[in-house]
Amino acid sequence: MKRQFFLLFLLSFTLTSYGQIKESKAIDSLFLEWNKPETPGCAIGIVKDGELIYSNGYGIADLEHDIEITPSSVFYIGSVSKQFVTFSILLLEEQGKLDLDDRIQKYLPDFPDYNSNLTIRNFIHHTSGVRDYLTLMYLKGRNYLDNADVDEVYELIKKQKELNFIPGDKYLYSNSCYFMLAMIIEKAAGQSLKDFAHENIFQPLGMKNSLFYDDNTDLIKNRVFSYEKKNNEDGFNNLIMRFDLVGSGGVYSSIEDLFLWDQNFYNNKLGKGGQTIIDKMHEEGLLNNGESSGYAFALNNGTYKGLKTVSHGGALAGYRAQLMRFPDEKFSVIVLANRGDANPTAKSFQIADILLKERFVVKSENKEIKTEKPKDITSLEKFNLNQLVGNYEIQAGMVLEITLKNDSVNVLQTWNKSSYNITNTTGNTYEILNDNSIQFVFSELKDDYTQTLTVFQNGNETICKRKKQLDLSSLNMEDYTGNYYSEELDVSYLLFMEEGTLKVKVANNDPLELKLYDIDAFTSDGNLVRFNRVNGIVRGFELDAGRVTNLKFEKK
């Protein structure tokens, strides 16, 4: 007991807090496991009615020099950077230097037109179909922590022979678009994104510790370094990052600076002033069918427990970031972390749960209605446990494996090996013990097995269909071995058998296992490989990797 007392006593002196609120202890308790020596952590900022009412640092910014995190610490903020790109675009539109409906080739004349009308607006709202360059580099065998030249990346994007889809038909997040928006800003403004943002955003708002970092030889005062937990042992690996491409990311900033940015959304001081440009920032793009793309100007409009939210997260190396605003409450949460296992979005919601709990009820027709109640799709007939057992597919390579362990229902997430038991609550609804934030609902009994598993979480639903058993009697794994070349990536993949397992090796990286998904289809690291045959002989394959689809490889 005495030892625990002294531990808490010491921890209280490692908290660097600014401002005091009565809920500070409850908030600090969310980060206690990170607030200790030799442990990376995060900085937080809580904003209410125009004031930074609470900010704090937990854990270590630089493990090699024992420097603690404070609200002044400067973090890489990943894709939160994208809203500074879109604001720059809107400032240039305000200045008459570009139009959102301009074709991309007006500024980048050497970019392929794909027989499509690709516009700046498509790029902003991720409706272009342009393949994601970070995914392409990964598929090429490149490590994102390494330095990559702007021209090299642009050539890789241009080398793609097709789009993921017709522009405007779908929404699919693409870092390539924002990488090229930075290039467009440079053409339209006559200066780099770094200089334009400094002169037109960071400097006018007094954001003295914020910049687009486009040269990894530059120094950054109070920089926080990023880490990942070691596998199967204590301690952390240093994720040394030489990445300095801007547009898709690239901003370093602090809690104190992002507070100033957050407040500009309520009273814009930039450009010509006024709220017109702010209103535009919140406008979601439209698809060709007239529906919303669900993505505004690098802002996500949403709701949480009945309250409107505007947010965006970011992640690269071991950096994790979230800037979440509840505009009607004039309340915001900023979380910047330097450990790869951090989940700033979840932490932001937890902070909101503490400070906005009295607001989590909406009124409609004078009746109080609690929000985010999952749909009731439970059957009157309750299924027995054996009828639930099986594999339920979210998407190719992502399966929830339902088994029985000691008469309990167990869920295995095959993509990350996370495993947990779920218990029956009502009907055919199950929950994790002592956690009612996720519901698992089984339905559609056929051939004595349920065919659908619907997962409800934070007001969202994910429908998972039962995966059928395959007849593998005629399968010869040797058919798939050999060298395969992609002209678009300019890289070869070696597929070979090792101890009865099909594996793929890319560049100098360690081989990855290819897991059978269907006849002539395999998954690896979340990607889907679809082989094609001519006269029964394997001639190549197409690769789907999330933000890149139909990437073609030819067998040599």
Side-chain angles (χ1 to χ4, degrees):
M1 185 69 182
K2 184 180 291 185
R3 182 177 178 181
Q4 184 181 14
F5 171 80
F6 280 116
L7 176 62
L8 292 173
F9 179 80
L10 289 171
L11 287 176
S12 69
F13 280 90
T14 64
L15 301 177
T16 309
S17 58
Y18 293 75
Q20 285 296 325
I21 53 177
K22 64 181 181 179
E23 298 88 353
S24 60
K25 288 185 179 179
I27 292 165
D28 293 342
S29 69
L30 299 175
F31 303 95
L32 275 179
E33 62 176 311
W34 296 350
N35 196 49
K36 56 184 77 169
E38 300 182 4
T39 302
C42 73
I44 68 167
I46 302 171
V47 183
K48 183 74 174 84
D49 295 329
E51 294 185 14
L52 188 60
I53 62 170
Y54 191 67
S55 57
N56 212 335
Y58 311 92
I60 305 300
D62 182 346
L63 294 178
E64 293 177 338
H65 299 94
D66 297 322
I67 298 173
E68 295 179 358
I69 294 172
T70 76
S72 300
S73 298
V74 178
F75 292 76
Y76 186 86
I77 65 172
S79 288
V80 178
S81 310
K82 287 181 169 71
Q83 56 198 265
F84 296 102
V85 175
T86 56
F87 203 92
S88 296
I89 290 285
L90 291 178
L91 286 173
L92 288 168
E93 181 192 43
E94 194 177 73
Q95 296 169 13
K97 294 181 178 179
L98 58 72
D99 188 287
L100 299 184
D101 294 311
D102 284 340
R103 296 183 80 245
I104 297 305
Q105 289 77 12
K106 179 177 179 179
Y107 307 93
L108 304 173
D110 58 340
F111 191 74
D113 67 9
Y114 298 105
N115 294 318
S116 300
N117 185 35
L118 276 171
T119 68
I120 291 175
R121 202 181 292 274
N122 289 136
F123 275 24
I124 288 170
H125 300 301
H126 295 300
T127 59
S128 71
V130 174
R131 290 170 171 169
D132 178 82
Y133 82 86
L134 286 175
T135 307
L136 292 171
M137 290 181 69
Y138 157 74
L139 295 173
K140 191 176 171 67
R142 292 286 303 274
N143 190 323
Y144 70 92
L145 294 173
D146 292 340
N147 175 252
D149 183 75
V150 170
D151 292 337
E152 174 195 359
V153 172
Y154 184 47
E155 288 301 318
L156 178 61
I157 299 170
K158 287 194 300 179
K159 202 167 186 176
Q160 304 310 299
K161 294 182 177 181
E162 62 184 81
L163 301 172
N164 287 325
F165 51 81
I166 295 172
D169 271 7
K170 299 179 183 179
Y171 162 88
L172 184 62
Y173 199 92
S174 174
N175 285 292
S176 296
C177 296
Y178 277 74
F179 168 82
M180 288 190 285
L181 285 175
M183 298 173 69
I184 290 170
I185 289 169
E186 182 171 348
K187 294 285 179 111
Q191 60 185 150
S192 68
L193 173 59
K194 176 181 180 178
D195 290 340
F196 183 84
H198 174 74
E199 293 176 13
N200 293 276
I201 300 175
F202 299 140
Q203 191 174 49
L205 291 181
M207 299 172 67
K208 298 179 180 178
N209 294 301
S210 299
L211 76 159
F212 272 101
Y213 189 67
D214 61 4
D215 184 346
N216 62 33
T217 65
D218 288 346
L219 299 176
I220 298 177
K221 294 289 187 181
N222 299 319
R223 189 203 308 225
V224 172
F225 293 91
S226 75
Y227 305 92
E228 67 175 356
K229 292 186 75 171
K230 291 184 177 180
N231 290 328
N232 304 318
E233 59 179 304
D234 293 334
F236 294 85
N237 293 320
N238 188 2
L239 293 181
I240 301 171
M241 190 172 77
R242 296 179 61 234
F243 184 91
D244 59 5
L245 300 175
V246 296
S248 57
V251 169
Y252 279 83
S253 191
S254 67
I255 293 294
E256 294 166 348
D257 275 12
L258 290 175
F259 159 66
L260 298 173
W261 170 246
D262 173 76
Q263 287 306 290
N264 194 64
F265 279 84
Y266 297 102
N267 182 22
N268 176 46
K269 302 174 183 176
L270 302 176
K272 295 180 179 178
Q275 295 303 103
T276 300
I277 195 170
I278 299 298
D279 293 340
K280 275 195 172 184
M281 284 286 288
H282 294 87
E283 291 177 1
E284 295 178 355
L286 296 178
L287 301 178
N288 292 334
N289 62 9
E291 295 180 1
S292 172
S293 68
Y295 192 86
F297 283 69
L299 297 173
N300 293 301
N301 298 315
T303 59
Y304 180 67
K305 296 185 177 179
L307 303 182
K308 180 181 177 181
T309 61
V310 179
S311 64
H312 207 292
L316 195 71
Y319 296 106
R320 301 290 183 268
Q322 176 60 249
L323 172 53
M324 181 180 296
R325 185 163 42 257
F326 293 76
D328 294 340
E329 283 65 41
K330 293 188 177 178
F331 177 89
S332 300
V333 180
I334 310 164
V335 180
L336 306 177
N338 68 328
R339 47 188 299 153
D341 61 345
N343 187 337
T345 302
K347 292 293 186 185
S348 298
F349 284 134
Q350 288 176 328
I351 292 172
D353 286 342
I354 293 171
L355 294 172
L356 295 179
K357 58 185 177 182
E358 302 300 327
R359 305 280 295 175
F360 289 156
V361 173
V362 295
K363 290 188 176 180
S364 177
E365 297 179 357
N366 297 321
K367 294 180 181 179
E368 291 188 349
I369 303 173
K370 296 205 172 176
T371 60
E372 289 198 10
K373 184 177 180 181
K375 296 177 184 176
D376 183 12
I377 63 170
T378 57
S379 167
L380 293 176
E381 177 190 5
K382 186 175 179 181
F383 307 134
N384 67 54
L385 298 186
N386 289 317
Q387 292 173 317
L388 312 181
V389 171
N391 295 331
Y392 298 82
E393 187 174 55
I394 300 173
Q395 63 182 56
M398 293 185 68
V399 172
L400 291 174
E401 185 178 301
I402 306 298
T403 57
L404 299 183
K405 290 187 177 180
N406 300 322
D407 296 324
S408 295
V409 180
N410 183 263
V411 180
L412 172 66
Q413 298 177 174
T414 58
W415 60 92
N416 62 6
K417 306 304 180 186
S418 177
S419 178
Y420 44 86
N421 286 339
I422 56 177
T423 58
N424 184 247
T425 54
T426 180
N428 296 307
T429 299
Y430 289 72
E431 295 179 355
I432 302 171
L433 189 64
N434 299 321
D435 181 1
N436 62 4
S437 65
I438 309 176
Q439 289 80 39
F440 301 81
V441 183
F442 296 87
S443 59
E444 292 184 60
L445 192 66
K446 181 182 178 182
D447 299 329
D448 209 31
Y449 286 101
T450 54
Q451 301 300 307
T452 302
L453 169 58
T454 306
V455 182
F456 296 94
Q457 184 176 22
N458 294 330
N460 300 313
E461 71 175 64
T462 302
I463 297 176
C464 316
K465 291 294 185 180
R466 177 179 289 273
K467 195 173 184 311
K468 291 189 168 87
Q469 296 273 344
L470 296 176
D471 179 8
L472 307 178
S473 57
S474 62
L475 191 67
N476 182 3
M477 299 293 282
E478 291 290 344
D479 286 352
Y480 307 109
T481 60
N483 275 294
Y484 296 79
Y485 177 73
S486 167
E487 183 180 347
E488 294 167 289
L489 291 180
D490 188 23
V491 69
S492 291
Y493 281 17
L494 174 64
L495 274 66
F496 63 97
M497 295 296 296
E498 183 176 85
E499 298 180 354
T501 300
L502 185 64
K503 292 188 175 182
V504 56
K505 182 170 176 59
V506 184
N508 294 319
N509 297 331
D510 293 334
L512 294 174
E513 180 181 352
L514 285 166
K515 297 180 181 179
L516 188 65
Y517 170 72
D518 206 341
I519 302 301
D520 286 344
F522 293 76
T523 60
S524 178
D525 202 21
N527 304 325
L528 179 64
V529 178
R530 295 176 280 109
F531 289 90
N532 51 69
R533 296 174 183 261
V534 177
N535 297 325
I537 300 173
V538 173
R539 296 298 188 188
F541 65 79
E542 292 183 348
L543 177 62
D544 293 339
R547 296 170 181 174
V548 171
T549 61
N550 298 320
L551 192 63
K552 293 175 175 58
F553 285 74
E554 182 182 353
K555 191 172 185 179
K556 295 297 184 183

